[in-house]
Amino acid sequence: MSTTWIIIALILGFVVIFQIAKASEYVAIMRGEKKTRQESNRINAFLMLVFLVGGLIGVWYCNERLKDKILPEAASNHGERIDSMIWITLIITGIVFVITQALLFWFSYKYQERENKKAYYFPHNNKLEVIWTVIPAITLTILVGFGLYYWFQITGEPPKDAIQIEVTGKQFNWEFRYPGKDGVFGKKYYKEVNEAKSNPLGQIWSDPANHDDIYTTGEMHMIVGKPVKLIINAKDVIHDVGLGHFRMKMDAVPGIPTTMWFTPKYTTRQMREKYGADFNYEISCQEMCGKGHYSMRGTVIVETEAEYNAWLASKQPQYVAAMGGVSPTDPAPGAMPTTTPAKDSAVTAGAAGTTTSMK
Ligand SMILES: [Cu+2]
């Protein structure tokens, strides 16, 4: 019903605008085209000024209204640098924005059509062209240079003492794998993925490195002040690991592991003391990946090393679940399926991509 009314209102609106246009055309003919044009030019010139002042007030007002809605301070070392980069970019572009917009609208007002005033013909000036090409080019090169420098840091090798977490995106949640005591992720093969057999990541059970790997969903744990490297995968479509509080984000691409590392600065507890008891670090998906996209939201818990170790120790390796309760220390290696296509070198290479050892 309301759709019908909206359509009727739109049609009426068009009819009214059409009639006004026609009427003003008749008026123009009666009064003379030149006079009408001059009058509408005057109105437009004035409106240019109104738009300039109103627009700038609007920008300031939106900023005042919404400034407490933005993310709290960056909670990682890389995040701080990214924030400072954003601020520098905003200040530079902000100054340019205000100057160019003010000139644009002021000039439109000041140099409006007037009697006995002739426009100055100014087709080209090489010096000006060079100035307004070279200055932005140098500025942008510096900004992009900083961006690239941080990007290579984030995606490069982390310090030796970094913990590693494998993050796998799927429709619709995040799956996490921790390498266990040996610090090494066991090999995986996508054809081994079998939720019914408690093997959601396709771990190859004949690889002993898999026997202590820990699998969780929903919650990712990290140690405060300790670098963490994420090895990111996807099982179906492209997802994107979004860690807004740490100012980190990275695509999760099926078949191509991506990595990023950073160092969390504050524990969840410290952030709750500052920003309220309901504060939670969030992991989100930042790539529209389907109708359950929103439900990929999970929690990141940053804690002390002791708390982290206690949490990890409380988890059972996925191997135990897959073997129906057989612990990796039990002498029952015959229970392990050996369906690994070891000859397929591409498979081994693919799996090795996610098996960076850590010493
Ligand atoms: Cu997703």
Side-chain angles (χ1 to χ4, degrees), residues 170 172 174 237-240 285-289 293 296:
K170 75 162 216 279
F172 292 101
W174 293 108
V237 299
I238 298 176
H239 300 270
D240 187 298
C285 180
Q286 297 189 348
E287 187 82 48
M288 267 301 288
C289 56
H293 167 66
M296 292 189 69

Side-chain angles (χ1 to χ4, degrees), residues 127-143:
K127 207 168 157 189
L128 272 180
E129 292 279 349
V130 169
I131 289 172
W132 67 49
T133 308
V134 170
I135 292 178
I138 292 173
T139 317
L140 284 175
T141 307
I142 293 170
L143 291 178

